Amino acid sequence: MTELPIAQTLHRKGHWHGPADWVRLDYEARFLRRKRLETGAGAPFLVDLPQTVSLDHGDALELADGRLIEVIAAPEPLCEVRGDLPRLAWHIGNRHTPCQVEPDRLLIRRDHVLQEMLQKLGADLHEVEAPFTPEGGAYGHGRTHDHSH
């Protein structure tokens, strides 16, 4: 049995360069510490980081032999929200829902209950397929899960 190459080093977007293979992961799969993955070229490898992290589109995992694996955010089913964005963003945030904030739209994961609420608030909604890169937590990098700030 051949041992898998191991990635124990994470380089954040903009802090690495050079040729790289890639791995395409959705929002949920980009939150990890230890996991077996497969590159776009079909090569398996093991991620074994010291702590759980939220990987961002453009980050790179470094294998023990120095090879780099770029993280690509995979398209997933989302809901595009347009309208009075500050007001709508407040209601989304009040429900602790991950939200990608852009100048002319908000993106959230599809949720019929949330979508119904947003429609009642006057939002213009469209279902889209796109990479999901929501805002990180206000009290640190990456995702937040509770109020123990």
Side-chain angles (χ1 to χ4, degrees):
M1 180 177 206
T2 311
E3 291 211 16
L4 293 177
I6 298 175
Q8 294 181 303
T9 304
L10 170 63
H11 299 283
R12 292 297 184 178
K13 179 180 182 177
H15 295 276
W16 65 276
H17 66 278
D21 201 341
W22 55 271
V23 62
R24 190 178 315 269
L25 303 169
D26 67 16
Y27 177 64
E28 292 300 325
R30 292 193 318 267
F31 191 63
L32 57 89
R33 189 193 79 72
R34 184 176 167 86
K35 188 173 187 177
R36 182 191 183 281
L37 298 173
E38 192 170 297
T39 70
F45 68 101
L46 178 67
V47 176
D48 188 15
L49 299 171
Q51 61 191 21
T52 302
V53 297
S54 182
L55 302 176
D56 296 322
H57 178 85
D59 288 348
L61 296 163
E62 183 178 338
L63 299 177
D65 64 7
R67 289 179 292 156
L68 296 170
I69 312 294
E70 182 176 7
V71 176
I72 305 293
E76 51 191 293
L78 302 174
C79 180
E80 176 184 83
V81 181
R82 294 183 185 267
D84 182 357
L85 296 185
R87 180 171 174 257
L88 297 168
W90 186 90
H91 283 282
I92 292 167
N94 193 43
R95 280 140 187 92
H96 301 274
T97 299
C99 180
Q100 182 172 328
V101 178
E102 297 182 357
D104 61 345
R105 70 180 184 169
L106 305 172
L107 291 171
I108 60 173
R109 285 187 271 170
R110 292 182 194 169
D111 176 318
H112 72 279
V113 173
L114 194 56
Q115 287 173 246
E116 184 177 317
M117 177 205 69
L118 292 168
Q119 280 182 319
K120 288 179 181 176
L121 292 169
D124 182 22
L125 306 177
H126 298 284
E127 291 187 347
V128 298
E129 296 276 331
F132 189 45
T133 54
E135 291 293 313
Y139 295 94
H141 299 288
R143 304 174 194 203
T144 58
H145 293 285
D146 57 34
H147 290 277
S148 59
H149 310 302

